[in-house]
């Protein structure tokens, strides 16, 4: 998909996740958010700094998706989750079968790709 | 500032009619509302059309003027988009126009064509109400998003799929005799629990259906109603709107909806009522868990306690607080841009006595509608009261 239009901010953050060096944006008040951002979504502060976030996190919730959007037609069924890494929460693919997954589990942040479109997507491996 | 009165309502049968165009669905509902009011259509001052994904479903944007001419109106006409709250937001624009004196007669409406997209197409179309970068590209769907909320709710507050199944059973029972509902059939808890998976813990019967349909309501000023001798027994006395982070993961809590709380509080204050004054509700039950979160966000139940409301019979038609007597989104159907308006049209009929379930609210004087967009990043609430 190299001919696809780029999304500044997002693409770089995704690449950093793939390189094992994920980062978020932090405002002077300590709020965290994911790029692209010109201002902090919590307080409107515009001095945003890239700060490292841990690759280890905790799974907060998950589902088992059986009916997908067309971009994930060949991926189902899959486990989708929300996990927290430092001060940031991300949505991503849990790389495990439903039976192995529990809320509160430690997960490792990484990058994989959709089996349908081969586009990059955020992954959570069981630690 | 007098509240707008509801002079007429119209709604298509909600269902599976992929061959019907958006303009045709709208024209039926819009014309019905004007005929129901018995006014001259030349008196209409403005039109608002709620619609979410016309571009995706039928390659159609710019619906304001298209729909105005579909019912022979030559008035300022504007489309309103707030995902599945588009209809409720269209109502809110009309309410404000009448209240601030800019208009005496406003047609508020909503329309959505969905079945022509197929299940995968509609799932993809609906997903654009989420954050493209941080949610859609990771594979989120709306059943999936609400499944994430339900699973977290079970973890934090307890409850299970069987508790939620009672929400679907209740709303199907309410729709069983509603001639405009998509599903006019009762279902059992077992049927909900055994249904095919969509995004677990949300199964097929935890989910509102894909629906084609339209709804419209004619709002008039009190003065216009009096001058024209209209019978307008229902008024919209309060309106409120709330906003939250678009992406679910960005919220402080995955099981609490501040947008609903804010919209509700603003609407209560606006109408000068408290939560205890409300006799019955139409809430945004796009998924079974959504009805629970709505009842908690609106203040009818404490956090974590709304999940047993349907199971315990408190929100059934004969309960102390009937919820979704129309059948809700779950059984009446959910043509997304029309839903917020359909809540108003159904509640108006429930009050007037010409709804199949009117008997359940014979003595009611205050009703509330709650319409949500996305994972409740948008919420809009209206208070309806029997006009004095």
């Amino acid at each position: 998909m190299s001919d696809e239009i780029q999304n500044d901010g997002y693409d770089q953050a995704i690449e950093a996740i793939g390189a094992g060096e994920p980062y978020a944006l932090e405002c002077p008040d300590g709020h965290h958010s994911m790029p692209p951002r010109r201002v902090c979504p919590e307080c409107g502060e515009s001095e945003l700094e890239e700060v490292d976030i841990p690759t280890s996190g905790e799974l907060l919730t998950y589902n088992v998706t059986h009916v997908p959007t067309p971009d994930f037609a060949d991926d189902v069924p899959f486990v989708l989750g929300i996990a927290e890494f430092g001060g940031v929460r991300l949505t991503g693919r849990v790389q495990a079968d439903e039976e192995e997954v529990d809320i509160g589990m430690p997960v490792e942040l990484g990058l994989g790709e959709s089996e349908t479109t081969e586009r990059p997507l955020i992954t959570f491996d069981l630690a | 500032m007098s509240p707008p009165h509801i002079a007429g309502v119209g709604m298509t049968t909600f269902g599976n009619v992929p061959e019907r165009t958006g303009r045709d669905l709208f024209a039926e509902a819009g014309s019905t509302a004007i005929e129901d009011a018995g006014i001259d259509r030349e008196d209409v001052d403005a039109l608002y059309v709620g619609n979410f994904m016309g571009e995706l479903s039928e390659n159609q944007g710019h619906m304001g003027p298209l729909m105005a001419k579909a019912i022979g109106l030559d008035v300022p006409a504007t489309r309103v988009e707030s995902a599945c709250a588009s209809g409720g937001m269209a109502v809110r624009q009309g309410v404000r126009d009448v209240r601030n004196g800019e208009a005496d007669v406003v047609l508020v409406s909503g329309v959505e064509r969905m079945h022509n997209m197929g299940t995968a197409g509609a799932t993809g179309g609906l997903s654009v109400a989420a954050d493209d970068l941080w949610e859609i590209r990771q594979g989120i769907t709306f059943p999936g998003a609400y499944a994430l909320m339900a699973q977290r709710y079970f973890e934090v507050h307890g409850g299970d799929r069987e508790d939620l199944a009672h929400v679907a059973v209740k709303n199907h029972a309410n729709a069983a005799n509603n001639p405009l509902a998509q599903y006019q059939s009762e279902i059992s808890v077992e049927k909900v629990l055994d249904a095919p998976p969509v995004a677990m813990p949300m199964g097929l019967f935890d989910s509102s259906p894909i629906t084609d349909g339209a709804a419209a309501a004619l709002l008039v000023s009190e003065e216009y109603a009096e001058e024209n001798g209209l019978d307008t027994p229902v008024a919209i006395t309060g309106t409120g709107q709330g906003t939250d982070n678009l992406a679910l993961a960005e919220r402080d809590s995955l099981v609490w909806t501040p947008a609903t709380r804010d919209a509700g509080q603003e609407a209560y204050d606006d109408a000068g009522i408290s939560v205890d004054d409300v006799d019955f509700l139409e809430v945004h039950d796009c998924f079974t868990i959504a009805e629970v979160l709505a009842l908690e966000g609106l203040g009818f139940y404490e956090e974590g306690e709304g999940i047993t409301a349907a199971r315990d019979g408190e929100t059934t038609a004969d309960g102390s607080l009937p919820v979704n007597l129309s059948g809700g989104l779950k059984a009446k159907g959910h043509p997304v841009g029309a839903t917020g308006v359909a809540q108003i049209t159904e509640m108006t009929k429930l009050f007037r006595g010409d709804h199949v379930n009117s008997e359940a609210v014979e003595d009611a004087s205050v009703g509330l509608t709650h319409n949500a967009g996305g994972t409740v990043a948008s919420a809009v609430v209206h208070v309806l009261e029997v006009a004095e």
Side-chain angles (χ1 to χ4, degrees):
Chain A
M1 306 288 278
S2 59
D3 58 345
E4 205 170 278
I5 300 290
Q6 301 298 295
N7 291 288
D8 275 348
Y10 173 77
D11 290 341
Q12 290 82 356
I14 284 288
E15 275 170 32
I17 290 172
E21 296 171 347
Y23 61 82
L25 303 177
E26 188 180 73
C27 80
D29 286 341
H31 301 130
H32 292 86
S33 59
M34 295 303 288
R37 297 270 180 198
R38 283 176 182 268
V39 303
C40 171
E42 293 303 311
C43 63
E45 182 63 58
S46 60
E47 284 175 43
L48 303 181
E49 187 186 355
E50 288 183 8
V51 295
D52 292 342
I53 56 171
T55 57
S56 300
E58 177 191 344
L59 188 68
L60 298 179
T61 187
Y62 67 95
N63 72 41
V64 186
T65 300
H66 291 264
V67 179
T69 56
D71 281 353
F72 292 88
D74 301 333
D75 290 54
V76 286
F78 59 81
V79 180
L80 186 82
I82 293 176
E84 185 162 331
F85 303 90
V88 174
R89 290 173 178 182
L90 295 170
T91 305
R93 175 82 57 89
V94 182
Q95 305 276 59
D97 292 332
E98 178 182 0
E99 302 75 38
E100 306 171 87
V101 179
D102 262 322
I103 290 178
M105 284 181 119
V107 291
E108 279 293 313
L109 178 61
L111 201 65
E113 62 182 31
S114 156
E115 290 163 44
T116 313
T117 63
E118 297 180 1
R119 254 185 178 178
L121 59 83
I122 292 168
T123 56
F124 304 147
D125 284 299
L126 300 190
Chain B
M1 185 181 69
S2 61
H5 286 220
I6 300 169
V9 294
M11 175 178 149
T12 67
T13 303
F14 281 6
N16 181 349
V17 285
E19 69 283 359
R20 288 189 68 181
T21 59
R23 67 190 79 183
D24 178 55
L25 292 165
F26 166 83
E28 180 189 336
S31 294
T32 303
I34 292 172
E35 284 162 23
D36 186 46
I39 66 150
D40 188 339
R41 73 180 59 208
E42 306 231 316
D43 285 355
V44 177
D45 295 315
L47 169 67
Y48 290 100
V49 183
N51 175 262
F52 175 37
M53 53 182 184
E55 289 87 348
L56 303 174
S57 66
E58 54 178 353
N59 197 36
Q60 186 65 64
H62 206 178
M63 283 189 183
L66 180 75
M67 299 311 178
K69 284 300 177 184
I71 54 170
L73 294 181
D74 185 12
V75 298
T78 311
R79 172 180 161 187
V80 179
E81 192 273 304
S82 289
C84 302
S86 300
M89 297 301 179
V91 173
R92 183 167 157 85
Q93 306 317 311
V95 167
R96 291 170 140 192
D97 277 5
V98 173
R99 291 205 323 194
N100 69 22
E102 287 195 26
D104 276 317
V105 183
V106 180
L107 187 64
V108 295
S109 65
V111 59
E112 207 74 57
R113 184 183 188 185
M114 298 175 73
H115 269 103
N116 63 333
M117 304 172 81
T119 298
T123 303
L126 291 167
S127 78
V128 308
D131 183 321
D132 174 45
L133 301 179
W134 296 104
E135 294 188 312
I136 301 173
R137 286 167 191 251
Q138 320 312 327
I140 210 164
T141 62
F142 268 89
Y146 277 90
L148 293 171
M149 298 165 93
Q151 192 84 306
R152 183 72 190 170
Y153 189 102
F154 297 158
E155 176 76 13
V156 173
H157 297 308
D160 56 26
R161 286 197 67 219
E162 189 169 337
D163 293 327
L164 292 180
H166 284 276
V167 175
V169 169
K170 166 180 72 70
N171 292 347
H172 270 257
N174 287 342
N177 296 309
N178 183 350
L180 299 180
Q182 184 162 357
Y183 294 136
Q184 296 169 39
S185 56
E186 299 205 30
I187 56 171
S188 64
V189 167
E190 292 69 35
K191 183 162 185 169
V192 180
L193 295 176
D194 295 342
V198 177
M200 298 309 286
M202 293 291 100
L204 188 62
F205 279 94
D206 288 288
S207 311
S208 57
I210 293 167
T211 308
D212 305 307
L218 197 74
L219 309 184
V220 300
S221 65
E222 210 163 11
E223 298 71 30
Y224 178 88
E226 278 169 17
E227 282 166 16
N228 290 275
L230 299 182
D231 180 27
T232 57
V234 184
I236 300 181
T237 57
T239 178
Q241 179 175 349
T243 298
D244 201 350
N245 290 307
L246 188 63
L248 178 61
E250 291 172 357
R251 314 258 175 86
D252 288 338
S253 168
L254 303 175
V255 292
W256 172 243
T257 52
T260 289
R261 175 201 58 202
D262 293 348
Q265 197 56 57
E266 184 186 352
Y268 298 143
D269 291 348
D270 193 32
I273 65 160
S274 77
V275 65
D276 298 331
D277 296 320
V278 177
D279 296 311
F280 69 113
L281 312 159
E282 290 285 318
V283 304
H284 197 92
D285 60 323
C286 50
F287 300 93
T288 48
I289 184 68
E291 179 166 313
V292 175
L293 297 177
L295 292 177
E296 294 179 7
L298 291 167
F300 292 93
Y301 287 86
E302 296 291 322
E303 269 188 83
E305 293 180 7
I307 195 165
T308 54
R311 190 194 71 192
D312 293 346
E314 292 161 2
T315 51
T316 51
D318 58 358
S320 54
L321 183 74
V323 175
N324 285 328
L325 284 169
S326 70
L329 286 55
K330 174 67 201 80
K332 176 171 88 278
H334 182 28
V336 293
T339 281
V341 185
Q343 292 176 325
I344 300 286
T345 65
E346 288 285 282
M347 184 167 280
T348 300
K349 291 168 70 177
L350 282 159
F351 269 124
R352 295 194 312 202
D354 58 334
H355 192 283
V356 68
N357 289 329
S358 285
E359 258 184 40
V361 285
E362 253 174 349
D363 302 323
S365 56
V366 182
L368 179 150
T369 64
H370 162 264
N371 184 203
T375 45
V376 202
S378 291
V380 56
V381 169
H382 285 104
V383 175
L384 275 61
E385 294 188 64
V386 173
E388 289 161 9

